[in-house]
Amino acid sequence: MCGIVGYINFSETLPQEVIYNMTQMLHHRGPDDYGVKSFKNSSYEVALGQKRLSILDVSADGHQPMQYEHYWIVYNGEIYNFKEIKEKLENLGHQFVSKSDTEVILHAFKEWGEQAVDQFIGMFAFMIYNEKQEEFYIYRDRAGVKPLYYYENDKGFMFASELKAFHKHPNFKKEIDLDAMAQFFKYEFIHAPNSIFKNVKKLLPGHFLKYDIKSKSFTIHQYWNVLDFYKKPNLNVTYQEAKAHLKVLMKDAFMLRMVSDVPVGVFLSGGYDSSIVTAIIQELKSQKLKTFTIGFDDKKYDESKYAKEVADLLNTDHHSFTCTDKEALSIIPKLADYFDEPFADPSLIPTMLLSQRTEEKVKVSLSADGGDEIFYGYNRYEKIYKYYHKMKRLGPFSKVLSFIKRKKFTDKFYAANISNKNATVEMLDIHHQKYKDAFINDLFVEKINKLPNNFTSSAYDDIDKFHRILAVDYTTYLPDNILVKVDRATMSASLEGREPLLDHRIVEYAAQLPLEYLFDVKTKTKKHILRDICHDYLPKDLMSRKKTGFTPPIVTWLRTELKEFVDSTLSKEELNKHGLLNIDVIEKAKEDYFEGNDTFYNLIWNTLVFQLWYNKWMLDE
């Protein structure tokens, strides 16, 4: 795992310290090695930088930027099947000097060009500079496990693993995008390709960017699209055939992610997703697998005992930690150091603490994200299914009252029209929203333009209404929320996080399965086929329990231990530093919240996160 950065500059030549300082901003992503390289001529300058976390070929042979002929690369991630690709290339006459997957990417690109990425099974964000052709390519993995930001203005172009690197470039102009900021307050995260800054975009998963230096222009291309598989007819396979094939895919995907030259462990929550990952790997490993979990002092939120039961049954080398209130509260003032774009999913707090503790034992840990999105696991999916059919029975022009009772300031329940082909996705959007548009406009001083709705894009047409909600979450909520959280949390501790359930072969197959294989309508069983596979390893009575998630008791903290901190951070004086939000709305929300009304919890938390970010990245430099 690494941090990568680079720029092309068409104005005056910049001092070497610029690329050095940009690269150093990503030190936490790769403290083991550092490298920069500059290319200068009369009309432009290209600079590349990388901070390396050494996982494969920890020797100096894996140093970056790496060169092969007239190709240069900086790379963040892992290509798990690099040995198989390397063998193909050797049979074609290629010779290698290292044991790293980085060198394999370079040779693959020389051999197959833009299509080389089709060979890769992995997580990655990499930039290849073709010095001879004066062009470069930036690729991001299919699921979006690894981040990639880019920025363009009239003076040049830059890219980085994290936004914070841009702040060290003299040509970077930090202007808040109010529409993206409003999206943050509405959803707790910002949807790609938007970012908090104008002119900064996120490269979408499954895409690559091709930059032509001579014309000073770039194009973006999609090399993989999960929607292609959701749009295919259901596979003509029996349930048992599907289960057997998925198990084969999982075994291969999970064991590929154990390839490493340093110790590897697994985050084990005790739920189905992490338990099936742990069970399959432990069955195939001769040594005890190291597993890690974290619980809370507050027993209402603590599920660590379930992880221990699974670990005991599978006989893993288990490590359980407790997220104390004191530890959790100490992280909140520092959130903006690592989440350099406003991000308010509260589960980031225990994820950061778990990563810090895990890094003391291993340098790589597998996480089981993606299971809910791929296998119909969230409670919201069951509710959507239930309410859609309930209202359909009332007639084709019925209005579906929201399955979630909204806060009192919404004036009424939401409604979705089931005669609309996007009805199920509208319900999904309702679930993700923290506030409706009218309230967001009241919250902001300036009028907010309505952003395109990523949930109801026409790209999802021709997908069955219930598979469609999986496709939407896989392409929005998963990469823009879940994977952002895991990447920044693990990297804050210089720990590599790997995602075995996000092997693209698994989602390609699951996307073509009949809905009843994923969601047993008769028994209301979510993740039906994944649960059945898990029950081959672990008893059903151990696994079948209500899921509570991974959220700390932050609703309570904000009005108790953190009350003074909230009051000072969200004071009128602090909010007036930017003047973007309606202070009267926030003051009233604070008053109600401190009196015990949870209605405005999300507003208080989101505003606190934004204010911490603003103070760190707009003022504190």
Side-chain angles (χ1 to χ4, degrees), residues 67-85:
Q67 179 188 17
Y68 172 57
E69 296 184 354
H70 54 276
Y71 296 97
W72 290 83
I73 188 173
V74 284
Y75 160 49
N76 170 29
E78 305 288 352
I79 305 299
Y80 303 118
N81 64 332
F82 77 100
K83 292 180 179 179
E84 291 80 0
I85 299 171

Side-chain angles (χ1 to χ4, degrees), residues 299-422:
K299 298 305 177 186
K300 289 190 303 183
Y301 299 87
D302 185 30
E303 291 190 305
S304 60
K305 63 180 180 180
Y306 302 124
K308 186 178 186 308
E309 289 175 358
V310 171
D312 288 345
L313 194 60
L314 296 175
N315 196 29
T316 69
D317 178 11
H318 190 58
H319 304 262
S320 184
F321 314 113
T322 299
C323 172
T324 66
D325 288 359
K326 182 178 180 181
E327 287 177 306
L329 297 175
S330 69
I331 280 182
I332 291 175
K334 305 173 186 175
L335 288 179
D337 292 354
Y338 296 102
F339 290 83
D340 50 14
E341 181 174 55
F343 181 82
D345 183 338
S347 63
L348 62 88
I349 296 168
T351 307
M352 290 182 72
L353 284 171
L354 176 59
S355 298
Q356 291 171 11
R357 299 290 186 85
T358 300
E359 192 274 336
E360 297 170 0
K361 304 291 183 180
V362 297
K363 289 188 71 171
V364 178
S365 189
L366 277 60
S367 184
D369 301 296
D372 287 316
E373 291 83 357
I374 296 172
F375 294 104
Y376 212 92
Y378 288 119
N379 290 334
R380 58 182 175 262
Y381 299 158
E382 180 182 352
K383 291 177 180 178
I384 289 172
Y385 185 92
K386 173 185 174 182
Y387 276 80
Y388 179 88
H389 285 287
K390 179 179 179 180
M391 293 302 118
K392 189 174 182 180
R393 288 195 297 271
L394 298 178
F397 301 106
S398 309
K399 288 286 184 177
V400 182
L401 290 181
S402 173
F403 47 86
I404 299 175
K405 186 175 181 180
R406 286 294 161 177
K407 314 295 190 269
K408 64 182 181 182
F409 55 80
T410 58
D411 300 323
K412 62 179 181 180
F413 291 174
Y414 276 76
N417 187 344
I418 64 168
S419 64
N420 185 330
K421 64 182 179 181
N422 283 321

